[in-house]
Amino acid sequence: MPTALITGASRGLGAAIAAALEPSHTLLLAGRPSPELDEVAARHGATTWPMELTDPDGIAATTEVLTELDVLVHCAGVAYPGRVAESTVEEWRATLAVNTLGPVALTLAVLPALRAARGQVVFINSGAGRNPSPGLASYAASKFALRAFADSLRVDEPELRVTTVYPGRIDTDMQYNLVAYEGGEYRPERFLRPATVAAAVADVVATPADAVVHEVVIRPR
């Protein structure tokens, strides 16, 4: 079976994407070692791939054994809610390190393996990567940069299929924390289910080889 490397798979959307791709792919679940990541891997017969996205040298060292990679899904991300005046430089650095520089470093590290397989790269972006929301200054900036990197990769590596997925609000821990910051009541039914977005990702990956899906925008009803 083809191989898919997924970041941020220990919970939420990343775990749902692992479940959606399990029937068709051998899974490599990248992330910081944790019981949650081990549990997801055991559930889907996957291999855990220890990785710290803020350590480019470590990323290069742990991925150099990959000679071919069919699918790379960038799902890991962080958010520090705060309007511009409330934000700090440290929060901006931390957000960009995980949300933007991490995917850049990982993509560059596995680029030869992706080229060898004429593979696919899927970037999980956000509605904030198209239209900034109040209270998400550094997060929106990191997602706009991620969008530009995905578009540049598509142009510079035409043998690869590159897709950006822009989901609306998803029922995840990150969403719970954002609603708490906003002072609202958390109602899961207002948000997309992780499995719904994961199904859209699986559809992108299953696109016939003569086509590429550039963007997917998915919102709660």
Side-chain angles (χ1 to χ4, degrees):
M1 285 198 296
T3 299
L5 176 63
I6 306 168
T7 68
S10 61
R11 62 176 65 85
L13 179 56
I17 292 172
L21 294 184
E22 177 194 350
S24 55
H25 289 75
T26 298
L27 301 179
L28 305 177
L29 307 184
R32 295 170 180 165
S34 70
E36 293 83 3
L37 187 62
D38 291 341
E39 180 183 347
V40 175
R43 189 160 64 240
H44 300 299
T47 300
T48 57
W49 207 275
M51 184 178 296
E52 172 55 66
L53 285 176
T54 61
D55 178 14
D57 291 337
I59 290 173
T62 59
T63 57
E64 62 182 358
V65 299
L66 294 175
T67 57
E68 287 196 15
L69 181 62
D70 300 280
V71 179
L72 171 60
V73 181
H74 292 290
C75 189
V78 297
Y80 300 96
R83 293 176 182 264
V84 171
E86 301 167 346
S87 64
T88 67
V89 172
E90 289 73 21
E91 289 172 345
W92 282 76
R93 285 198 184 101
T95 305
L96 290 165
V98 174
N99 294 0
T100 309
L101 297 179
V104 169
L106 178 54
T107 302
L108 294 178
V110 300
L111 192 53
L114 287 166
R115 286 170 174 163
R118 299 188 68 190
Q120 295 177 267
V121 186
V122 180
F123 293 87
I124 304 301
N125 201 291
S126 167
R130 294 168 62 89
N131 297 290
S133 301
L136 286 173
S138 61
Y139 180 76
S142 72
K143 292 298 188 177
F144 265 75
L146 188 66
R147 174 185 183 179
F149 176 63
D151 290 344
S152 297
L153 181 66
R154 187 183 304 111
V155 171
D156 289 343
E157 296 289 335
E159 292 300 307
L160 303 184
R161 297 196 287 173
V162 180
T163 305
T164 294
V165 179
Y166 298 97
R169 292 193 166 197
I170 308 172
D171 177 22
T172 61
D173 292 343
M174 181 184 292
Q175 198 61 239
Y176 183 89
N177 293 333
L178 178 58
V179 172
Y181 165 79
E182 295 169 337
E185 176 189 359
Y186 193 80
R187 296 169 54 194
E189 67 274 10
R190 295 174 53 202
F191 309 122
L192 291 164
R193 293 183 299 116
T196 299
V197 181
V201 172
D203 286 343
V204 166
V205 172
T207 301
D210 63 335
V212 56
V213 179
H214 285 204
E215 296 184 346
V216 174
V217 179
I218 180 170
R219 296 287 184 269
R221 290 185 64 180

